[in-house]
Amino acid sequence: MDRYRALPARRLVVLGGPGAGKTGLAALLALGLLARPRGADPVPYVVPVNSWDPAREHLRTWLVRRLAEDHYGGSPEVPYQLLRAGLVLPMLDGLDEVAEPARPAALAAIARAWADEAPLVVTCRGDEYEQAVAARGQALPRAAVVELEPVSAADALDYLRHSVTDQPRWRPLLEEIARQPDGPVAAALSSPLVVSLVRAVYAADATQPAELLDRARFPDRTAVEEHVFDAVIPTAYDPSPRPEPAGAGPTAGAGRPWSRDDAHRALTVLARRLTDATGGDLAWWEMHRAVPRPVVVGAYAVVAFLATAAALAWTGWEPPLLWSATVAAVLVGVAAGAGRAPAPVRAQLRLRGRGPLLGRRWAGGA
């Protein structure tokens, strides 16, 4: 944090490989700046840039919209003034997640939007950043560049020795890492993400960390990583019963817990949707697009038919009118199912003393 503040322009690019901790470093830097503020320092705002399309939206416009959606109920007035006054420190996380053809344009757009040399932090994978710089012909002006180094075998070993409790069960793996710092397991543990996952996956007494030493099953780093990633869901959704909280009532823990198969299916749907969605954002109001289109259209049509029929029955209807309304309801349902759902916004309804009056009118049949 102090070294960042010592930068002349307070502009920083953080590079690193997959799982190297770029997002974590940005979050820690933001927390440190918030914990020890200085005067009128801008407030850090960590925001993933995977949903930004530099060809369609100016970076500042996009930032105003994201701030408005995340913190101001969709209203852009305050975010616009904050950015205009330089009171926000954007931490653009994951430049590598912008579509590859658009990365050079994204880098150029960032440089143009921050031509006044205001503070800025960008995180990106190293190779992708170098490719974008080469394609553009220029790096981000006046920005210091740091690259996160892989976790050394000694550091991974020291972390596991001090964090695991069942040393005898872990001893064969720890000894192998010490003997073979260039082996498949040590190579996989060069990522902070894999180090933390290995500790979590083999935390239970019934697991055997030494299985990672089987060279027939795990001949290289990739095999070790894939095994650990595959074990995350079975570990997180352990079917064994969990202890009830102290003083819990009779309803505590009620309901059927998620099974591993349920979790796997649900997360697979979410992952596919996240992969297929433009920009890589997982928006709950767009999740209906993960369902086959005929099902969505049919559901909208049925709901529209029932709502219209109920309204007509309440007011008194005649058969020709009912059929006309039914056709209209089906058309509306098809149009709604085929259309794009708007992003939700927060709304505040203030009656200012008219609540009792409206209540009396509604109660009286108005």
Side-chain angles (χ1 to χ4, degrees):
M1 182 186 62
D2 291 335
R3 292 187 178 183
Y4 168 75
R5 281 186 165 137
L7 295 175
R10 295 192 182 182
R11 299 160 73 92
L12 178 66
V13 176
V14 180
L15 305 180
K22 302 180 292 296
T23 301
L25 178 61
L28 290 174
L29 177 58
L31 292 174
L33 294 173
L34 291 172
R36 294 168 57 189
R38 290 185 181 177
D41 276 359
V43 176
Y45 174 48
V46 182
V47 54
V49 295
N50 54 3
S51 63
W52 172 45
D53 185 351
R56 295 185 177 183
E57 197 169 18
H58 191 278
L59 177 59
R60 288 184 178 269
T61 304
W62 176 79
L63 281 171
V64 167
R65 179 168 61 82
R66 285 301 307 263
L67 271 169
E69 293 173 355
D70 292 346
H71 301 288
Y72 292 93
S75 176
E77 288 79 8
V78 173
Y80 173 78
Q81 295 297 335
L82 291 175
L83 281 170
R84 185 180 181 182
L87 298 178
V88 177
L89 166 58
M91 295 186 166
L92 307 178
D93 185 32
L95 181 62
D96 52 277
E97 296 184 16
V98 174
E100 182 178 357
R103 279 187 213 128
L107 188 61
I110 293 172
R112 287 195 303 270
W114 259 257
D116 56 357
E117 299 182 353
L120 179 71
V121 176
V122 177
T123 73
C124 187
R125 294 184 181 182
D127 293 342
E128 284 78 353
Y129 183 76
E130 292 178 1
Q131 293 167 4
V133 169
R136 180 182 176 243
Q138 184 181 3
L140 193 63
R142 296 200 66 189
V145 179
V146 297
E147 185 166 8
L148 301 179
E149 295 183 354
V151 179
S152 67
D155 288 339
L157 185 62
D158 184 64
Y159 171 79
L160 291 174
R161 280 175 173 168
H162 288 83
S163 60
V164 300
T165 56
D166 188 359
Q167 291 288 335
R169 187 164 53 87
W170 284 83
R171 185 173 295 115
L173 180 66
L174 300 180
E175 292 176 350
E176 177 65 16
I177 296 173
R179 285 195 302 266
Q180 297 289 336
D182 298 324
V185 177
L189 294 176
S190 63
S191 164
L193 175 62
V194 177
V195 174
S196 62
L197 289 181
V198 165
R199 178 174 176 263
V201 166
Y202 292 102
D205 294 338
T207 59
Q208 293 297 328
E211 69 176 357
L212 295 176
L213 305 180
D214 187 347
R215 291 295 180 90
R217 293 176 58 193
F218 310 110
D220 52 28
R221 169 181 179 168
T222 301
V224 175
E225 291 176 341
E226 290 179 349
H227 173 74
V228 173
F229 293 150
D230 289 342
V232 169
I233 292 179
T235 301
Y237 293 90
D238 186 351
S240 59
R242 299 176 181 271
E244 295 289 353
T251 59
R256 184 178 68 87
W258 277 62
S259 68
R260 292 173 176 175
D261 291 340
D262 291 338
H264 187 273
R265 282 193 297 269
L267 292 174
T268 298
V269 171
L270 293 177
R272 287 175 178 170
R273 174 60 190 162
L274 187 62
T275 303
D276 297 339
T278 302
D281 270 352
L282 190 63
W284 61 262
W285 59 92
E286 288 287 344
M287 282 304 297
H288 69 281
R289 295 186 174 274
V291 180
R293 182 60 57 85
V295 176
V296 175
V297 172
Y300 273 108
V302 170
V303 172
F305 168 79
L306 294 176
T308 306
L312 292 173
W314 181 265
T315 58
W317 49 267
E318 308 238 348
L321 184 60
L322 174 61
W323 286 110
S324 300
T326 300
V327 172
V330 171
L331 292 177
V332 169
V334 172
R340 181 180 179 84
V345 296
R346 296 183 180 90
Q348 292 182 349
L349 179 62
R350 296 180 180 178
L351 300 178
R352 296 186 178 181
R354 291 184 172 85
L357 175 61
L358 290 175
R360 287 195 299 270
R361 288 186 177 179
W362 285 336

